[in-house]
Amino acid sequence: MSNSAYPDILSITGIIITCGDNINTDLIMPSQYLDNPNPSYFSQFVMSGQDPEFVNKIQKIHGQFELPAILVAGTNFGSGSSREQAPAGLKYIGIAAIVAESFGSIFFRNAINVGLPVITVPNITKMVKNGISVKINLRKGFLDILEQNSKKIHFKPLEPFLLRRLESGGLIPELKQQLKSSNKY
Amino acid sequence: MVGQTLIQKILAKASGKETEGVVENEIVFVSPHRILSHDNSAAISKTFYKMVGPNGKIWDHEKIFIALDHAVPPPDAVKAGNHTVIRKFVKDQGIKYFYEGGTGICHEVLPAKGHVPPNVVILGSDSHTTTHGAFGAAGIPIGRTETASVWAIGETWLKVPESIKIILDGSLPKGVYAKDVILEIIRQITAAGATYNSIEFYGSSVKKLSMSERMTLSNLTAEMGAKAGIFPVDDVTDEWNKQFEFQYDRITADEDAKYIKTLELEVSNLTPRIAKPHKVDNVVPIEELGKTTIDVALIGTCTNGRLDDLEIAANILKDKTIHPNVRLLVYPASQEILLQATREGIIETLVAAGGQIGIPACGPCLGAYGGCIASGEKAISSANRNFKGRMGSKEDTGIYLASPATVAKSALAGYITAEEE
């Protein structure tokens, strides 16, 4: 899915898909698929160490609801190896944001750097379930559960410079623009 | 100024805030003393040119460190091609500190070649960059795109972590090693228990730990989610640093520095520990593990592939032969270690016992090549991760993590044991 489907990356409506605790990057992006740097290749195997049907499930969500998927995870999501193909692959298959109880810190940075919004909400796995739709406002820091009388869950928004990075589409376009305007290159 | 922990002092220095200090969760912009990467430098270099354009230049040719270690020697043309891209990048950009495949694992080579003085920030595009905390530095792992950005502009942001204090007291009993200590710590703190935190090591046992043993501990702090795992500089560090021309002060955490957690561990009664598949915090005392036969025994990696590790294994395997159902793989962490182990007869002992000696590099740890396990097989390893996929492991296979001594003893017995034959 292209970014044009989301006019504002900081305001996202999507369908929840859940996963458990301690999903490490070896499970998200197994090392045997990392030789080919093209995301169209390695993204086929996203989460295959955890759930071989994961990519199909995401495509089903897109087909059924015409909305992106929002991944809701437990604690320590993306722990382990620093491989950036993990968030890049998740983004490529159409995950619009990840909400987790906590993140592995390298994964958290990598996700923002590839332009994939990540949000920390304690106990989130107890508040939502598979298949419901939610709206996330990253700027204001709330998550609206649209099917439970619009229950609002608040979270601390990311620092403004990280929100800008997400708006730029990640660190590559952001820095490119920054260096261009500073006439450095 | 509020009381400063070691990580606060190091980050304050690296961000020009030495006088006022920094507070927990404050965002600071730091410029690293070195930024480390390995085979992933091929991808990083492509990202770098996307950012800066085809004629862009790196920010400082003396700060970037690259060692080829993940696919060494390259098992196929694609991985060989990656190395070609890196060599060209190194040449085009005039990068001073490039280490060819076979020199060793990045986390071994970086300190051994004198790139890690105390009190500095080392950034690394590898999750085990925490290893450099052994030298009193803040070794902090980051990702690829971010590494490309540091190559371009020389700095990145860090959130000042909250700190955990670990106090180790007592003397290690015979047959119990640094690896057992850190596995026990991981059991207690858990895989997510130090996420975003910096760990500091104190206590009477710490003073007796060699630099190599400290590296094992700092290396594995990554498996608790830690951002850094730092040893305060002491006489052991000073002794190690004599081989280099470092200028530094011994910094210490302030007495009123704040720690969110303190873990005290008396090591005198500790027994060997095993991390069972497929999580590093799935740790049990070895006596609680049922009889588990193994197919592969691996000694090596950035966790436990140093001279003392090989020597411990050789002392156990001397004049013996490994079990006929076991393949023993030995990957010295660097060329220097391999050379020294050869001179001391350690390699001869290991080969005579039936060991297969690999080229100094990461070996099969990550699971791409170099001794993967087949469906249904089990491995005991001195590495740092037992996740599914590591060493090619699957649902029906498994990796057990242990000290090099336990790995060697298990290779002799054919099953996991810490008993001498």
Side-chain angles (χ1 to χ4, degrees), chain A residues 22 24 26-27 31-32 35 49 75-76 80-85 102-106 108-110 113-114 120 159 161-162 165 171-172 175-176 178-179 184-185, chain B residues 27 29 47 50-52 56-57 76 78-79 125-127 141-146 149 152-153 156-159 191-192 195-196 227 279 366-367 385 387-388 390:
Chain A
N22 287 312
N24 62 60
D26 274 278
L27 298 173
S31 63
Q32 65 263 42
D35 280 354
T75 53
N76 212 18
S81 156
S82 63
R83 65 192 64 163
E84 205 166 273
Q85 293 94 330
S102 66
F103 288 93
S105 55
I106 315 173
F108 187 84
R109 303 173 75 93
N110 282 345
N113 289 337
V114 302
T120 309
E159 281 73 10
F161 80 98
L162 294 178
R165 183 161 298 171
L171 184 53
I172 298 175
L175 209 65
K176 206 172 160 179
Q178 202 179 306
L179 293 171
K184 200 174 166 198
Y185 295 108
Chain B
I27 302 277
F29 285 84
T47 302
K50 271 189 209 165
M51 287 170 172
V52 303
K57 287 281 166 214
D76 58 49
V78 173
K79 292 190 175 80
S125 190
D126 185 272
S127 53
I142 57 171
R144 289 179 180 188
T145 301
E146 195 165 353
S149 76
I153 60 172
T156 193
W157 67 279
L158 291 171
K159 188 184 265 190
T195 304
Y196 309 133
K227 254 186 135 54
K279 283 168 66 193
L366 63 155
R385 288 203 175 118
F387 302 157
K388 250 182 271 172
R390 289 264 156 178

Side-chain angles (χ1 to χ4, degrees), chain A residues 156-173:
Chain A
K156 190 174 168 275
L158 291 171
E159 281 73 10
F161 80 98
L162 294 178
L163 290 176
R164 277 199 300 279
R165 183 161 298 171
L166 286 172
E167 279 182 300
S168 307
L171 184 53
I172 298 175

Side-chain angles (χ1 to χ4, degrees), chain B residues 388-418:
Chain B
K388 250 182 271 172
R390 289 264 156 178
M391 288 182 85
S393 64
K394 300 235 161 55
E395 195 65 62
D396 65 337
T397 61
I399 302 166
Y400 293 78
L401 304 177
S403 74
T406 302
V407 175
K409 288 168 186 171
S410 305
L412 283 177
Y415 58 89
I416 297 176
T417 180

Side-chain angles (χ1 to χ4, degrees), chain B residues 188-238:
Chain B
Q188 294 194 29
I189 290 191
T190 77
T195 304
Y196 309 133
N197 301 143
S198 169
I199 290 173
E200 294 178 13
F201 291 98
Y202 295 97
S204 59
S205 323
V206 164
K207 295 187 177 64
K208 293 176 248 174
L209 291 177
S210 67
M211 294 316 289
S212 171
E213 291 170 315
R214 292 173 189 202
M215 287 171 81
T216 301
L217 266 67
S218 292
N219 178 276
L220 271 160
T221 58
E223 303 312 317
M224 297 179 272
K227 254 186 135 54
I230 309 173
F231 283 81
V233 172
D234 63 8
D235 293 348
V236 179
T237 331
D238 285 343

Side-chain angles (χ1 to χ4, degrees), chain A residues 32 34-36, chain B residues 71-84 368-369:
Chain A
Q32 65 263 42
L34 299 180
D35 280 354
N36 184 333
Chain B
V72 171
D76 58 49
V78 173
K79 292 190 175 80
N82 270 341
H83 291 178
T84 308
Y369 79 107

